[in-house]
Amino acid sequence: MVSRMAEKTAKWPQNVPGKYYVDESCIASDFCIAAAPNNFKMDDSGHAYVFKQPENEEEERQCREALAGCPVCAIGDNGIGND
Ligand code: SF4
């Protein structure tokens, strides 16, 4: 069970436009950067953000893995992947 969902209205401004984003609840665990290094980066101020939306199936799979494994559910996908 997911205890919370990422908040579109609390996205970090560094996220590129598109489906995936990181919101303000990120605790900088680094999980998403390990899971999807082509798409997530750590900002100097201590939180992750999406610097590139997935452009192929492998990146999409990695982004889904990042979203599923984020310990605080800070990654959103605009509801597209919630099945
Ligand atoms: S997995 Fe979640 S908490 Fe960890 S850095 Fe990424 S967005 Fe932040």
Side-chain angles (χ1 to χ4, degrees), residues 22 26-32 42 48 70-72 74-75:
V22 175
C26 172
I27 55 166
S29 73
D30 274 335
F31 178 82
C32 58
M42 193 60 69
C70 175
V72 292
I75 301 171

Side-chain angles (χ1 to χ4, degrees), residues 16-17 19-20 36 38-39 50-63:
V16 293
K19 166 176 166 180
Y20 288 101
N38 295 345
N39 306 97
V50 175
F51 73 95
K52 186 174 78 75
Q53 295 294 334
E55 291 172 349
N56 55 51
E57 273 186 33
E58 178 63 6
E59 289 180 359
E60 178 67 37
R61 189 189 64 71
Q62 292 179 349
C63 285

Side-chain angles (χ1 to χ4, degrees), residues 10-15 21-26 45-49:
K11 282 187 197 181
W12 290 108
Q14 293 92 342
N15 291 291
Y21 59 90
V22 175
D23 81 4
E24 291 173 358
S25 62
C26 172
S45 62
H47 65 80
Y49 66 101

